[in-house]
Amino acid sequence: MYYEQLLQKIEDRTATLGVLGLGYVGLPLAVEKAKAGFAVVGFDVQSRKVRLVNEGHNYIGDVVDSDLAALVQAGRLTATDDFARLAACDCVAICVPTPLDEHFQPDISYVKNSAEQIARYAHKGMLIVLESTTYPGTTEEVILPLLTQKGFTVGKDIFLAFSPERVDPGNKQYKTKNTPKVVGGVTPRCGALAAAIYRSVLAGDVTVVSGPKVAEMEKILENTFRNINIALANEMAVLCHRMGISVWEVIDAAKTKPYGFMAFYPGPGLGGHCIPIDPFYLTWKAREYQYHTRLIESAGEINTGMPEYCVARVADLLNRQAKPLRGSNVLVLGAAYKKDIDDVRESPALELMRLFNEKGCLLSYHDPFVPQINYKGLALASQPLTAQTLQAADVVVIATDHSAFDPHMIVSNANLVFDSRNLTAGIQADNLERL
């Protein structure tokens, strides 16, 4: 009965949808659900986000400002920090952070707190979908018991599934709307309801797998795949430098092969909310099964060591000019973890800056998307990128390859350039060295 009733509400778009967490994942999802004709309530503990949404002011790059404003004005989307309003929701998506703690172990406190709030206000006929990336088993080990303790029977009078978020900030081709989804329900009916929601909202295909653990592991595999291949590219960069070979030319040559090779590129380290973090969820969970994920952990060591490697390369370049690293004027270009976005989560550029500062450099940075940084005690404001700024630096370090950066202007004005992103591809100059 409850299954059929909820399915009908989804099909005729009379279901009220809740989204917990209005960040890079939750707000774009809430907007798409509202655009599909559903009434959507966004929940967040940060009053600033709640206020901005209710005022129709967007703060996420992948959301169109006018879309948000129109949906709020039409009454399709509202935000609140009052979790009692969960009682009015038919379907709830959990889109909260899953960071690592100081010991590189999973911190699922946000998921637990969200699940506890949902369980408190849950009702028969409700669907709960966890989207936050986490270790295999979280849905059934953390959320399921909270529902059964309340007397619900999952798959009969309440429904639970996992569907991993697939958000790539700044991606021009794939957004929340057209990215395919994977769904794993605790029971087949749970999976069918979750799939029905996403098919009603999104344009991408929806693949239903046998259960939450498969969907949870699938997401970890996606990001571990990228982590390991980036580590390979970084290791190749280190070796190619020692051998006097351009790793960028090697990769360009390799990707001419139409099969069996996928191009990944080196850089100053990994950033973002997924790739540097998610593999650690799997290595942590693997210990429960007496398994040591050697390849994954080795890749992590390579990638986390890249900022120090880049600083060492810069120190060597300055040494060739009879300049010590300490006291040198270092200008870092880019603070975001990838090009053309304002996201600094786990950004290797910040770690680069911390290391330069720790070694006594006179540090400054420029990023058109990040006006200020505050990272591990380092507080800086972005400086204008002018010919004078470049000329005043002993070395310019390109940490993010924003499209706004003019490589010719940078190289022609800088005394020395270390390019960790190949922004200067095709330029030949005595004052230029690439990773």
Side-chain angles (χ1 to χ4, degrees), residues 26-60:
L27 186 59
L29 181 63
V31 167
E32 291 301 334
K33 287 180 173 181
K35 285 171 67 176
F38 291 97
V40 180
V41 182
F43 297 83
D44 205 289
V45 296
Q46 297 184 37
S47 58
R48 174 182 172 273
K49 289 182 178 179
V50 170
R51 175 177 55 80
L52 287 172
V53 170
N54 286 333
E55 291 174 352
H57 295 152
N58 178 41
Y59 50 87
I60 298 295

PDB file of all heavy atoms in Angstrom, residues 26-60:
ATOM      1  N   GLY A  26      23.904  19.167  -2.682  1.00  0.00           N
ATOM      2  CA  GLY A  26      22.510  19.304  -2.310  1.00  0.00           C
ATOM      3  C   GLY A  26      21.757  20.415  -3.023  1.00  0.00           C
ATOM      4  O   GLY A  26      20.616  20.212  -3.473  1.00  0.00           O
ATOM      5  N   LEU A  27      22.359  21.598  -3.155  1.00  0.00           N
ATOM      6  CA  LEU A  27      21.621  22.700  -3.775  1.00  0.00           C
ATOM      7  C   LEU A  27      21.325  22.442  -5.254  1.00  0.00           C
ATOM      8  O   LEU A  27      20.179  22.639  -5.686  1.00  0.00           O
ATOM      9  CB  LEU A  27      22.365  24.022  -3.589  1.00  0.00           C
ATOM     10  CG  LEU A  27      21.599  25.256  -4.088  1.00  0.00           C
ATOM     11  CD1 LEU A  27      20.258  25.396  -3.378  1.00  0.00           C
ATOM     12  CD2 LEU A  27      22.427  26.528  -3.905  1.00  0.00           C
ATOM     13  N   PRO A  28      22.311  21.992  -6.063  1.00  0.00           N
ATOM     14  CA  PRO A  28      21.955  21.678  -7.454  1.00  0.00           C
ATOM     15  C   PRO A  28      20.870  20.601  -7.558  1.00  0.00           C
ATOM     16  O   PRO A  28      20.001  20.685  -8.433  1.00  0.00           O
ATOM     17  CB  PRO A  28      23.283  21.178  -8.048  1.00  0.00           C
ATOM     18  CG  PRO A  28      24.330  21.853  -7.222  1.00  0.00           C
ATOM     19  CD  PRO A  28      23.772  21.884  -5.840  1.00  0.00           C
ATOM     20  N   LEU A  29      20.916  19.600  -6.657  1.00  0.00           N
ATOM     21  CA  LEU A  29      19.888  18.553  -6.686  1.00  0.00           C
ATOM     22  C   LEU A  29      18.527  19.123  -6.311  1.00  0.00           C
ATOM     23  O   LEU A  29      17.517  18.807  -6.953  1.00  0.00           O
ATOM     24  CB  LEU A  29      20.272  17.427  -5.724  1.00  0.00           C
ATOM     25  CG  LEU A  29      19.306  16.244  -5.664  1.00  0.00           C
ATOM     26  CD1 LEU A  29      19.229  15.539  -7.015  1.00  0.00           C
ATOM     27  CD2 LEU A  29      19.736  15.257  -4.574  1.00  0.00           C
ATOM     28  N   ALA A  30      18.485  19.976  -5.293  1.00  0.00           N
ATOM     29  CA  ALA A  30      17.223  20.591  -4.884  1.00  0.00           C
ATOM     30  C   ALA A  30      16.637  21.432  -6.015  1.00  0.00           C
ATOM     31  O   ALA A  30      15.420  21.411  -6.264  1.00  0.00           O
ATOM     32  CB  ALA A  30      17.443  21.453  -3.645  1.00  0.00           C
ATOM     33  N   VAL A  31      17.497  22.166  -6.716  1.00  0.00           N
ATOM     34  CA  VAL A  31      17.044  22.996  -7.829  1.00  0.00           C
ATOM     35  C   VAL A  31      16.456  22.133  -8.946  1.00  0.00           C
ATOM     36  O   VAL A  31      15.382  22.434  -9.493  1.00  0.00           O
ATOM     37  CB  VAL A  31      18.197  23.875  -8.358  1.00  0.00           C
ATOM     38  CG1 VAL A  31      17.842  24.494  -9.715  1.00  0.00           C
ATOM     39  CG2 VAL A  31      18.534  24.971  -7.357  1.00  0.00           C
ATOM     40  N   GLU A  32      17.124  21.053  -9.292  1.00  0.00           N
ATOM     41  CA  GLU A  32      16.624  20.175 -10.367  1.00  0.00           C
ATOM     42  C   GLU A  32      15.299  19.532  -9.975  1.00  0.00           C
ATOM     43  O   GLU A  32      14.396  19.382 -10.811  1.00  0.00           O
ATOM     44  CB  GLU A  32      17.655  19.107 -10.713  1.00  0.00           C
ATOM     45  CG  GLU A  32      18.905  19.639 -11.401  1.00  0.00           C
ATOM     46  CD  GLU A  32      18.614  20.371 -12.707  1.00  0.00           C
ATOM     47  OE1 GLU A  32      17.585  20.084 -13.349  1.00  0.00           O
ATOM     48  OE2 GLU A  32      19.423  21.234 -13.084  1.00  0.00           O
ATOM     49  N   LYS A  33      15.154  19.156  -8.719  1.00  0.00           N
ATOM     50  CA  LYS A  33      13.896  18.553  -8.267  1.00  0.00           C
ATOM     51  C   LYS A  33      12.763  19.564  -8.343  1.00  0.00           C
ATOM     52  O   LYS A  33      11.638  19.229  -8.733  1.00  0.00           O
ATOM     53  CB  LYS A  33      14.062  18.022  -6.845  1.00  0.00           C
ATOM     54  CG  LYS A  33      14.902  16.749  -6.766  1.00  0.00           C
ATOM     55  CD  LYS A  33      15.052  16.249  -5.343  1.00  0.00           C
ATOM     56  CE  LYS A  33      15.754  14.886  -5.324  1.00  0.00           C
ATOM     57  NZ  LYS A  33      15.915  14.336  -3.962  1.00  0.00           N
ATOM     58  N   ALA A  34      13.062  20.797  -7.967  1.00  0.00           N
ATOM     59  CA  ALA A  34      12.034  21.839  -8.046  1.00  0.00           C
ATOM     60  C   ALA A  34      11.690  22.170  -9.496  1.00  0.00           C
ATOM     61  O   ALA A  34      10.519  22.404  -9.832  1.00  0.00           O
ATOM     62  CB  ALA A  34      12.510  23.081  -7.305  1.00  0.00           C
ATOM     63  N   LYS A  35      12.692  22.193 -10.356  1.00  0.00           N
ATOM     64  CA  LYS A  35      12.450  22.459 -11.779  1.00  0.00           C
ATOM     65  C   LYS A  35      11.592  21.365 -12.409  1.00  0.00           C
ATOM     66  O   LYS A  35      10.875  21.609 -13.379  1.00  0.00           O
ATOM     67  CB  LYS A  35      13.787  22.574 -12.529  1.00  0.00           C
ATOM     68  CG  LYS A  35      14.521  23.880 -12.266  1.00  0.00           C
ATOM     69  CD  LYS A  35      15.933  23.858 -12.843  1.00  0.00           C
ATOM     70  CE  LYS A  35      15.935  23.805 -14.343  1.00  0.00           C
ATOM     71  NZ  LYS A  35      17.330  23.877 -14.880  1.00  0.00           N
ATOM     72  N   ALA A  36      11.661  20.142 -11.846  1.00  0.00           N
ATOM     73  CA  ALA A  36      10.869  19.031 -12.377  1.00  0.00           C
ATOM     74  C   ALA A  36       9.415  19.099 -11.923  1.00  0.00           C
ATOM     75  O   ALA A  36       8.606  18.262 -12.329  1.00  0.00           O
ATOM     76  CB  ALA A  36      11.487  17.702 -11.952  1.00  0.00           C
ATOM     77  N   GLY A  37       9.088  20.079 -11.075  1.00  0.00           N
ATOM     78  CA  GLY A  37       7.696  20.261 -10.672  1.00  0.00           C
ATOM     79  C   GLY A  37       7.366  19.851  -9.257  1.00  0.00           C
ATOM     80  O   GLY A  37       6.213  19.948  -8.829  1.00  0.00           O
ATOM     81  N   PHE A  38       8.366  19.386  -8.502  1.00  0.00           N
ATOM     82  CA  PHE A  38       8.130  18.982  -7.119  1.00  0.00           C
ATOM     83  C   PHE A  38       8.246  20.178  -6.176  1.00  0.00           C
ATOM     84  O   PHE A  38       8.972  21.139  -6.462  1.00  0.00           O
ATOM     85  CB  PHE A  38       9.137  17.921  -6.690  1.00  0.00           C
ATOM     86  CG  PHE A  38       8.963  16.593  -7.359  1.00  0.00           C
ATOM     87  CD1 PHE A  38       9.728  16.256  -8.477  1.00  0.00           C
ATOM     88  CD2 PHE A  38       8.043  15.670  -6.889  1.00  0.00           C
ATOM     89  CE1 PHE A  38       9.581  15.030  -9.099  1.00  0.00           C
ATOM     90  CE2 PHE A  38       7.882  14.439  -7.502  1.00  0.00           C
ATOM     91  CZ  PHE A  38       8.648  14.117  -8.611  1.00  0.00           C
ATOM     92  N   ALA A  39       7.558  20.101  -5.057  1.00  0.00           N
ATOM     93  CA  ALA A  39       7.772  21.041  -3.960  1.00  0.00           C
ATOM     94  C   ALA A  39       8.973  20.540  -3.173  1.00  0.00           C
ATOM     95  O   ALA A  39       9.007  19.377  -2.757  1.00  0.00           O
ATOM     96  CB  ALA A  39       6.540  21.114  -3.072  1.00  0.00           C
ATOM     97  N   VAL A  40       9.971  21.393  -2.972  1.00  0.00           N
ATOM     98  CA  VAL A  40      11.234  20.967  -2.371  1.00  0.00           C
ATOM     99  C   VAL A  40      11.544  21.819  -1.146  1.00  0.00           C
ATOM    100  O   VAL A  40      11.418  23.047  -1.178  1.00  0.00           O
ATOM    101  CB  VAL A  40      12.399  21.081  -3.387  1.00  0.00           C
ATOM    102  CG1 VAL A  40      13.712  20.631  -2.753  1.00  0.00           C
ATOM    103  CG2 VAL A  40      12.095  20.254  -4.635  1.00  0.00           C
ATOM    104  N   VAL A  41      11.960  21.131  -0.089  1.00  0.00           N
ATOM    105  CA  VAL A  41      12.416  21.797   1.125  1.00  0.00           C
ATOM    106  C   VAL A  41      13.880  21.444   1.337  1.00  0.00           C
ATOM    107  O   VAL A  41      14.232  20.268   1.428  1.00  0.00           O
ATOM    108  CB  VAL A  41      11.599  21.369   2.364  1.00  0.00           C
ATOM    109  CG1 VAL A  41      12.093  22.134   3.606  1.00  0.00           C
ATOM    110  CG2 VAL A  41      10.113  21.603   2.144  1.00  0.00           C
ATOM    111  N   GLY A  42      14.730  22.465   1.391  1.00  0.00           N
ATOM    112  CA  GLY A  42      16.143  22.242   1.652  1.00  0.00           C
ATOM    113  C   GLY A  42      16.454  22.487   3.120  1.00  0.00           C
ATOM    114  O   GLY A  42      15.998  23.478   3.700  1.00  0.00           O
ATOM    115  N   PHE A  43      17.240  21.584   3.700  1.00  0.00           N
ATOM    116  CA  PHE A  43      17.594  21.689   5.117  1.00  0.00           C
ATOM    117  C   PHE A  43      19.093  21.920   5.255  1.00  0.00           C
ATOM    118  O   PHE A  43      19.893  21.268   4.580  1.00  0.00           O
ATOM    119  CB  PHE A  43      17.219  20.404   5.863  1.00  0.00           C
ATOM    120  CG  PHE A  43      15.754  20.093   5.885  1.00  0.00           C
ATOM    121  CD1 PHE A  43      15.144  19.448   4.816  1.00  0.00           C
ATOM    122  CD2 PHE A  43      14.970  20.458   6.974  1.00  0.00           C
ATOM    123  CE1 PHE A  43      13.786  19.160   4.835  1.00  0.00           C
ATOM    124  CE2 PHE A  43      13.611  20.175   7.006  1.00  0.00           C
ATOM    125  CZ  PHE A  43      13.018  19.524   5.925  1.00  0.00           C
ATOM    126  N   ASP A  44      19.473  22.837   6.137  1.00  0.00           N
ATOM    127  CA  ASP A  44      20.885  23.047   6.406  1.00  0.00           C
ATOM    128  C   ASP A  44      21.036  23.666   7.793  1.00  0.00           C
ATOM    129  O   ASP A  44      20.191  24.464   8.223  1.00  0.00           O
ATOM    130  CB  ASP A  44      21.519  23.965   5.346  1.00  0.00           C
ATOM    131  CG  ASP A  44      23.020  23.737   5.210  1.00  0.00           C
ATOM    132  OD1 ASP A  44      23.759  24.120   6.140  1.00  0.00           O
ATOM    133  OD2 ASP A  44      23.445  23.161   4.199  1.00  0.00           O
ATOM    134  N   VAL A  45      22.121  23.295   8.471  1.00  0.00           N
ATOM    135  CA  VAL A  45      22.379  23.843   9.810  1.00  0.00           C
ATOM    136  C   VAL A  45      23.016  25.222   9.730  1.00  0.00           C
ATOM    137  O   VAL A  45      23.077  25.932  10.736  1.00  0.00           O
ATOM    138  CB  VAL A  45      23.281  22.899  10.635  1.00  0.00           C
ATOM    139  CG1 VAL A  45      22.575  21.571  10.887  1.00  0.00           C
ATOM    140  CG2 VAL A  45      24.630  22.676   9.934  1.00  0.00           C
ATOM    141  N   GLN A  46      23.499  25.611   8.545  1.00  0.00           N
ATOM    142  CA  GLN A  46      24.115  26.923   8.379  1.00  0.00           C
ATOM    143  C   GLN A  46      23.041  27.958   8.019  1.00  0.00           C
ATOM    144  O   GLN A  46      22.475  27.917   6.931  1.00  0.00           O
ATOM    145  CB  GLN A  46      25.197  26.885   7.303  1.00  0.00           C
ATOM    146  CG  GLN A  46      26.370  25.975   7.640  1.00  0.00           C
ATOM    147  CD  GLN A  46      27.467  26.026   6.590  1.00  0.00           C
ATOM    148  OE1 GLN A  46      27.751  27.071   6.025  1.00  0.00           O
ATOM    149  NE2 GLN A  46      28.094  24.885   6.332  1.00  0.00           N
ATOM    150  N   SER A  47      22.794  28.871   8.947  1.00  0.00           N
ATOM    151  CA  SER A  47      21.735  29.856   8.746  1.00  0.00           C
ATOM    152  C   SER A  47      22.002  30.748   7.533  1.00  0.00           C
ATOM    153  O   SER A  47      21.062  31.216   6.877  1.00  0.00           O
ATOM    154  CB  SER A  47      21.577  30.718  10.005  1.00  0.00           C
ATOM    155  OG  SER A  47      22.799  31.362  10.329  1.00  0.00           O
ATOM    156  N   ARG A  48      23.284  30.971   7.225  1.00  0.00           N
ATOM    157  CA  ARG A  48      23.619  31.804   6.071  1.00  0.00           C
ATOM    158  C   ARG A  48      23.095  31.173   4.783  1.00  0.00           C
ATOM    159  O   ARG A  48      22.511  31.872   3.927  1.00  0.00           O
ATOM    160  CB  ARG A  48      25.137  31.998   5.973  1.00  0.00           C
ATOM    161  CG  ARG A  48      25.605  32.732   4.719  1.00  0.00           C
ATOM    162  CD  ARG A  48      27.124  32.860   4.653  1.00  0.00           C
ATOM    163  NE  ARG A  48      27.557  33.381   3.368  1.00  0.00           N
ATOM    164  CZ  ARG A  48      27.791  32.611   2.308  1.00  0.00           C
ATOM    165  NH1 ARG A  48      27.622  31.288   2.385  1.00  0.00           N
ATOM    166  NH2 ARG A  48      28.181  33.140   1.160  1.00  0.00           N
ATOM    167  N   LYS A  49      23.298  29.879   4.612  1.00  0.00           N
ATOM    168  CA  LYS A  49      22.823  29.200   3.406  1.00  0.00           C
ATOM    169  C   LYS A  49      21.303  29.227   3.340  1.00  0.00           C
ATOM    170  O   LYS A  49      20.720  29.452   2.261  1.00  0.00           O
ATOM    171  CB  LYS A  49      23.332  27.753   3.371  1.00  0.00           C
ATOM    172  CG  LYS A  49      24.818  27.629   3.103  1.00  0.00           C
ATOM    173  CD  LYS A  49      25.235  26.171   3.025  1.00  0.00           C
ATOM    174  CE  LYS A  49      26.721  26.041   2.705  1.00  0.00           C
ATOM    175  NZ  LYS A  49      27.152  24.615   2.646  1.00  0.00           N
ATOM    176  N   VAL A  50      20.655  29.000   4.461  1.00  0.00           N
ATOM    177  CA  VAL A  50      19.195  29.034   4.496  1.00  0.00           C
ATOM    178  C   VAL A  50      18.686  30.410   4.073  1.00  0.00           C
ATOM    179  O   VAL A  50      17.768  30.533   3.251  1.00  0.00           O
ATOM    180  CB  VAL A  50      18.690  28.671   5.909  1.00  0.00           C
ATOM    181  CG1 VAL A  50      17.187  28.940   6.031  1.00  0.00           C
ATOM    182  CG2 VAL A  50      19.004  27.213   6.237  1.00  0.00           C
ATOM    183  N   ARG A  51      19.303  31.442   4.615  1.00  0.00           N
ATOM    184  CA  ARG A  51      18.883  32.808   4.290  1.00  0.00           C
ATOM    185  C   ARG A  51      19.102  33.120   2.811  1.00  0.00           C
ATOM    186  O   ARG A  51      18.214  33.685   2.153  1.00  0.00           O
ATOM    187  CB  ARG A  51      19.655  33.803   5.155  1.00  0.00           C
ATOM    188  CG  ARG A  51      19.392  35.269   4.815  1.00  0.00           C
ATOM    189  CD  ARG A  51      20.136  36.205   5.745  1.00  0.00           C
ATOM    190  NE  ARG A  51      21.568  35.932   5.767  1.00  0.00           N
ATOM    191  CZ  ARG A  51      22.424  36.344   4.827  1.00  0.00           C
ATOM    192  NH1 ARG A  51      21.990  37.020   3.774  1.00  0.00           N
ATOM    193  NH2 ARG A  51      23.714  36.063   4.929  1.00  0.00           N
ATOM    194  N   LEU A  52      20.275  32.751   2.281  1.00  0.00           N
ATOM    195  CA  LEU A  52      20.575  33.044   0.885  1.00  0.00           C
ATOM    196  C   LEU A  52      19.600  32.345  -0.052  1.00  0.00           C
ATOM    197  O   LEU A  52      19.116  32.938  -1.031  1.00  0.00           O
ATOM    198  CB  LEU A  52      22.011  32.644   0.559  1.00  0.00           C
ATOM    199  CG  LEU A  52      23.106  33.537   1.144  1.00  0.00           C
ATOM    200  CD1 LEU A  52      24.484  32.927   0.908  1.00  0.00           C
ATOM    201  CD2 LEU A  52      23.040  34.943   0.540  1.00  0.00           C
ATOM    202  N   VAL A  53      19.305  31.082   0.220  1.00  0.00           N
ATOM    203  CA  VAL A  53      18.367  30.359  -0.636  1.00  0.00           C
ATOM    204  C   VAL A  53      16.992  31.008  -0.591  1.00  0.00           C
ATOM    205  O   VAL A  53      16.356  31.243  -1.632  1.00  0.00           O
ATOM    206  CB  VAL A  53      18.281  28.872  -0.220  1.00  0.00           C
ATOM    207  CG1 VAL A  53      17.119  28.176  -0.947  1.00  0.00           C
ATOM    208  CG2 VAL A  53      19.580  28.149  -0.538  1.00  0.00           C
ATOM    209  N   ASN A  54      16.516  31.314   0.601  1.00  0.00           N
ATOM    210  CA  ASN A  54      15.183  31.904   0.725  1.00  0.00           C
ATOM    211  C   ASN A  54      15.102  33.300   0.115  1.00  0.00           C
ATOM    212  O   ASN A  54      14.010  33.768  -0.233  1.00  0.00           O
ATOM    213  CB  ASN A  54      14.763  31.946   2.195  1.00  0.00           C
ATOM    214  CG  ASN A  54      14.398  30.567   2.716  1.00  0.00           C
ATOM    215  OD1 ASN A  54      13.973  29.700   1.961  1.00  0.00           O
ATOM    216  ND2 ASN A  54      14.580  30.358   4.010  1.00  0.00           N
ATOM    217  N   GLU A  55      16.264  33.954  -0.029  1.00  0.00           N
ATOM    218  CA  GLU A  55      16.301  35.261  -0.711  1.00  0.00           C
ATOM    219  C   GLU A  55      16.503  35.102  -2.218  1.00  0.00           C
ATOM    220  O   GLU A  55      16.510  36.092  -2.958  1.00  0.00           O
ATOM    221  CB  GLU A  55      17.425  36.114  -0.129  1.00  0.00           C
ATOM    222  CG  GLU A  55      17.173  36.569   1.307  1.00  0.00           C
ATOM    223  CD  GLU A  55      18.366  37.290   1.904  1.00  0.00           C
ATOM    224  OE1 GLU A  55      19.440  37.290   1.253  1.00  0.00           O
ATOM    225  OE2 GLU A  55      18.235  37.841   3.010  1.00  0.00           O
ATOM    226  N   GLY A  56      16.695  33.836  -2.659  1.00  0.00           N
ATOM    227  CA  GLY A  56      16.919  33.594  -4.080  1.00  0.00           C
ATOM    228  C   GLY A  56      18.311  33.920  -4.542  1.00  0.00           C
ATOM    229  O   GLY A  56      18.554  34.099  -5.737  1.00  0.00           O
ATOM    230  N   HIS A  57      19.271  33.983  -3.608  1.00  0.00           N
ATOM    231  CA  HIS A  57      20.653  34.304  -3.937  1.00  0.00           C
ATOM    232  C   HIS A  57      21.488  33.029  -4.036  1.00  0.00           C
ATOM    233  O   HIS A  57      21.608  32.285  -3.069  1.00  0.00           O
ATOM    234  CB  HIS A  57      21.248  35.243  -2.879  1.00  0.00           C
ATOM    235  CG  HIS A  57      20.578  36.577  -2.843  1.00  0.00           C
ATOM    236  ND1 HIS A  57      20.500  37.366  -1.705  1.00  0.00           N
ATOM    237  CD2 HIS A  57      19.930  37.283  -3.815  1.00  0.00           C
ATOM    238  CE1 HIS A  57      19.851  38.471  -1.971  1.00  0.00           C
ATOM    239  NE2 HIS A  57      19.495  38.443  -3.251  1.00  0.00           N
ATOM    240  N   ASN A  58      22.070  32.801  -5.170  1.00  0.00           N
ATOM    241  CA  ASN A  58      22.838  31.585  -5.417  1.00  0.00           C
ATOM    242  C   ASN A  58      24.282  31.722  -4.939  1.00  0.00           C
ATOM    243  O   ASN A  58      24.884  32.791  -5.032  1.00  0.00           O
ATOM    244  CB  ASN A  58      22.823  31.260  -6.917  1.00  0.00           C
ATOM    245  CG  ASN A  58      23.649  30.036  -7.238  1.00  0.00           C
ATOM    246  OD1 ASN A  58      23.619  29.051  -6.519  1.00  0.00           O
ATOM    247  ND2 ASN A  58      24.391  30.097  -8.330  1.00  0.00           N
ATOM    248  N   TYR A  59      24.868  30.634  -4.447  1.00  0.00           N
ATOM    249  CA  TYR A  59      26.263  30.627  -4.000  1.00  0.00           C
ATOM    250  C   TYR A  59      27.018  29.399  -4.511  1.00  0.00           C
ATOM    251  O   TYR A  59      28.132  29.128  -4.076  1.00  0.00           O
ATOM    252  CB  TYR A  59      26.329  30.667  -2.463  1.00  0.00           C
ATOM    253  CG  TYR A  59      25.455  29.623  -1.782  1.00  0.00           C
ATOM    254  CD1 TYR A  59      25.918  28.338  -1.532  1.00  0.00           C
ATOM    255  CD2 TYR A  59      24.162  29.941  -1.402  1.00  0.00           C
ATOM    256  CE1 TYR A  59      25.124  27.390  -0.925  1.00  0.00           C
ATOM    257  CE2 TYR A  59      23.356  28.996  -0.780  1.00  0.00           C
ATOM    258  CZ  TYR A  59      23.841  27.728  -0.545  1.00  0.00           C
ATOM    259  OH  TYR A  59      23.037  26.791   0.055  1.00  0.00           O
ATOM    260  N   ILE A  60      26.417  28.669  -5.438  1.00  0.00           N
ATOM    261  CA  ILE A  60      27.045  27.474  -6.012  1.00  0.00           C
ATOM    262  C   ILE A  60      27.222  27.683  -7.515  1.00  0.00           C
ATOM    263  O   ILE A  60      26.260  28.004  -8.224  1.00  0.00           O
ATOM    264  CB  ILE A  60      26.196  26.209  -5.751  1.00  0.00           C
ATOM    265  CG1 ILE A  60      26.067  25.933  -4.248  1.00  0.00           C
ATOM    266  CG2 ILE A  60      26.818  24.998  -6.450  1.00  0.00           C
ATOM    267  CD1 ILE A  60      27.361  25.587  -3.547  1.00  0.00           C
TER     268      ILE A  60
END
